[in-house]
């Protein structure tokens, strides 16, 4: 994430700021400029070309600070949401802003890496949409199907995530992590075609094997012995689809964390996309940086920030995922 600064007083800002805490200026996020910009008291911003932009209508509902072209309209990120909690679902609405915040973070990162984002309103067959659903009165299964990503809003609650994390024996579980994993399924569906499928199968396996059967096997038997030498997580051993999605999520984890570290002066790497080999990024930058970050967390009495080990086989998989951005 970038280190934003107020254009009025030049003091530091955070991505979700709706007002500058130093000078009080109202703020909005311009996706086209990838910048936080000042808006007037009516929520209006005029860009360098004289075009008018307006704050998203969901500022109060979900804390969205993004700009849109129409007064009273929805921004691009909010427009990707197909379903949200009903207005009378107090618990669902309380959990809703955290999911939208994670989605906005995801969109900014994908923009920076150069991955196309097309909504189903534009392309019903291949576009992207989100159902952000409350599990207060119904069972919600997190997943992806034909461009529709479903998220359980209960995952916004730290206590719920921790309970599920412990039950499943996971080292890491966050709302942003869910979005990154599920969007991996979407981009595999969209980008891994033709000649890429051969290399995909060499790295991840034959995706045509029965998905439900592999899920049943995984939860009945657990991961295979020695899985740590070939996979980023035990969940990745379940099926090639899940191995790709887990690898994709870690690709985004690594890219975003390194960019943030660079923005705040913790490393001087330039941009991830300027490297010809993602393996070099992981080995030369991410591994030592993640060790340092883990030690800082331990110094504060917390668990490791990045509780994963990246074996050689996973480096090959990460390189494949990174190559999709370069191809596109």
């Amino acid at each position: 994430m970038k280190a934003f600064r107020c254009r009025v007083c030049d003091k530091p800002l955070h991505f979700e700021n709706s007002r500058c805490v130093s000078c009080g200026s109202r703020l909005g996020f311009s996706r086209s400029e990838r910048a936080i910009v000042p808006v007037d008291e009516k929520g209006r911003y005029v860009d360098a070309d004289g075009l008018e932009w307006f704050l998203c209508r969901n500022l109060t509902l979900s804390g969205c600070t993004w700009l849109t072209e129409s007064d009273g309209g929805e921004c691009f990120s909010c427009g990707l949401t197909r379903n949200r909690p009903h207005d009378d679902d107090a618990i669902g609405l309380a959990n809703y802003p955290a999911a939208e915040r994670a989605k906005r973070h995801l969109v900014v990162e994908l923009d920076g890496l150069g991955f196309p984002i097309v909504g189903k309103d534009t392309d019903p067959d291949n576009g992207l949409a989100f159902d952000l659903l409350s599990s207060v009165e119904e069972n919600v299964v997190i997943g992806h199907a034909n461009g529709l990503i479903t998220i359980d809003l209960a995952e916004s609650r730290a206590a719920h995530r921790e309970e599920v994390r412990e039950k499943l024996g996971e080292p890491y579980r966050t709302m942003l992590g869910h979005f990154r994993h599920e969007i991996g399924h979407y981009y595999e569906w969209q980008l891994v075609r033709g000649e890429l499928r051969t290399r995909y199968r060499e790295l991840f396996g034959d995706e045509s094997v029965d998905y439900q059967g592999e899920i049943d096997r995984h939860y009945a038997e657990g991961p295979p012995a020695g899985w740590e030498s070939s996979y980023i997580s035990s969940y990745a051993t379940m099926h090639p689809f899940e191995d790709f999605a887990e690898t994709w999520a870690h690709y985004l984890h690594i890219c975003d964390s390194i960019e943030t570290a660079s923005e705040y002066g913790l490393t001087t790497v330039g941009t991830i996309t300027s490297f010809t080999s993602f393996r070099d990024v992981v080995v030369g930058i991410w591994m030592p940086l993640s060790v340092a970050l883990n030690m800082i967390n331990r110094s504060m009495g917390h668990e490791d920030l990045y509780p994963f080990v990246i074996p050689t086989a996973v480096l090959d998989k990460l390189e494949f995922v990174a190559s999709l951005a370069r191809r596109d």
Side-chain angles (χ1 to χ4, degrees):
M1 185 56 64
K2 288 179 62 179
F4 297 100
R5 303 193 76 85
C6 179
R7 289 187 177 180
V8 177
C9 69
D10 198 40
K11 294 297 174 59
L13 297 173
H14 296 295
F15 181 50
E16 298 295 337
N17 281 153
S18 60
R19 279 192 183 270
C20 176
V21 297
S22 298
C23 69
S25 297
R26 293 192 71 187
L27 305 168
F29 178 76
S30 169
R31 183 181 179 223
S32 61
E33 296 183 26
R34 291 180 58 82
I36 296 175
V37 299
V39 300
D40 62 24
E41 288 306 311
K42 294 183 179 180
R44 185 181 67 110
Y45 169 67
V46 180
D47 67 19
D49 295 323
L51 297 176
E52 287 189 321
W53 299 82
F54 303 87
L55 281 175
C56 178
R57 71 186 184 198
N58 294 325
L59 175 62
T60 302
L61 176 67
S62 64
C64 181
T65 62
W66 284 31
L67 300 179
T68 182
E69 295 174 297
S70 59
D71 192 2
E74 280 189 329
C75 72
F76 176 81
S77 180
C78 288
L80 294 173
T81 298
R82 191 182 73 164
N83 288 301
R84 65 166 180 85
H86 298 297
D87 290 342
D88 58 356
D89 181 357
I91 296 176
L93 287 178
N95 294 332
Y96 177 57
E100 286 288 357
R101 182 167 59 248
K103 174 153 65 70
R104 291 191 293 271
H105 193 125
L106 176 71
V107 170
V108 169
E109 183 176 15
L110 293 172
D111 281 345
L113 292 171
F115 289 101
I117 310 173
V118 179
K120 281 194 174 295
D121 56 341
T122 300
D123 186 345
D125 294 328
N126 295 291
L128 179 66
F130 294 83
D131 279 354
L132 307 181
L133 304 180
S134 171
S135 56
V136 172
E137 296 181 353
E138 63 176 319
N139 181 48
V140 177
V141 178
I142 299 172
H144 165 266
N146 300 318
L148 177 63
I149 291 174
T150 301
I151 297 291
D152 179 7
L153 293 178
E155 293 285 327
S156 298
R157 303 196 309 271
H160 173 85
R161 288 198 311 275
E162 182 61 18
E163 180 181 353
V164 176
R165 187 191 69 78
E166 288 196 357
K167 179 180 178 181
L168 298 179
E170 299 173 338
Y172 176 90
R173 191 177 183 92
T174 68
M175 179 61 84
L176 182 55
H178 288 315
F179 276 90
R180 285 172 169 165
H181 176 97
E182 298 306 331
I183 204 74
H185 289 302
Y186 170 74
Y187 280 110
E188 177 188 343
W189 177 54
Q190 287 297 301
L191 300 179
V192 182
R193 297 172 176 172
E195 62 180 19
L196 289 176
R197 186 60 64 179
T198 299
R199 180 56 176 160
Y200 169 96
R201 288 174 175 166
E202 292 173 355
L203 293 170
F204 300 97
D206 182 3
E207 80 288 352
S208 67
V209 298
D210 180 60
Y211 183 78
Q212 187 59 51
E214 289 301 288
I215 290 177
D216 295 340
R217 173 201 56 76
H218 177 82
Y219 284 115
E221 303 174 6
W227 66 266
E228 296 90 345
S229 64
S230 300
Y231 299 90
I232 193 63
S233 68
S234 62
Y235 191 81
T237 69
M238 188 183 302
H239 187 277
F241 287 160
E242 300 304 336
D243 191 10
F244 180 91
E246 283 286 272
T247 304
W248 174 282
H250 280 261
Y251 167 66
L252 296 188
H253 290 335
I254 292 167
C255 289
D256 198 26
S257 298
I258 289 177
E259 180 187 40
T260 304
S262 179
E263 285 284 314
Y264 285 90
L266 301 181
T267 184
T268 55
V269 300
T271 61
I272 296 294
T273 53
S274 65
F275 286 81
T276 57
S277 168
F278 195 70
R279 178 188 295 266
D280 292 343
V281 173
V282 176
V283 174
I285 301 167
W286 178 241
M287 287 184 177
L289 178 62
S290 63
V291 169
L293 294 173
N294 285 346
M295 297 310 295
I296 290 173
N297 260 29
R298 293 183 190 185
S299 296
M300 291 294 294
H302 291 293
E303 299 296 324
D304 286 353
L305 181 73
Y306 188 76
F308 301 93
V309 175
I310 302 178
T312 300
V314 173
L315 284 174
D316 293 335
K317 296 174 184 179
L318 286 167
E319 185 67 50
F320 176 82
V321 168
S323 74
L324 299 178
R326 294 193 288 270
R327 280 175 175 269
D328 191 77

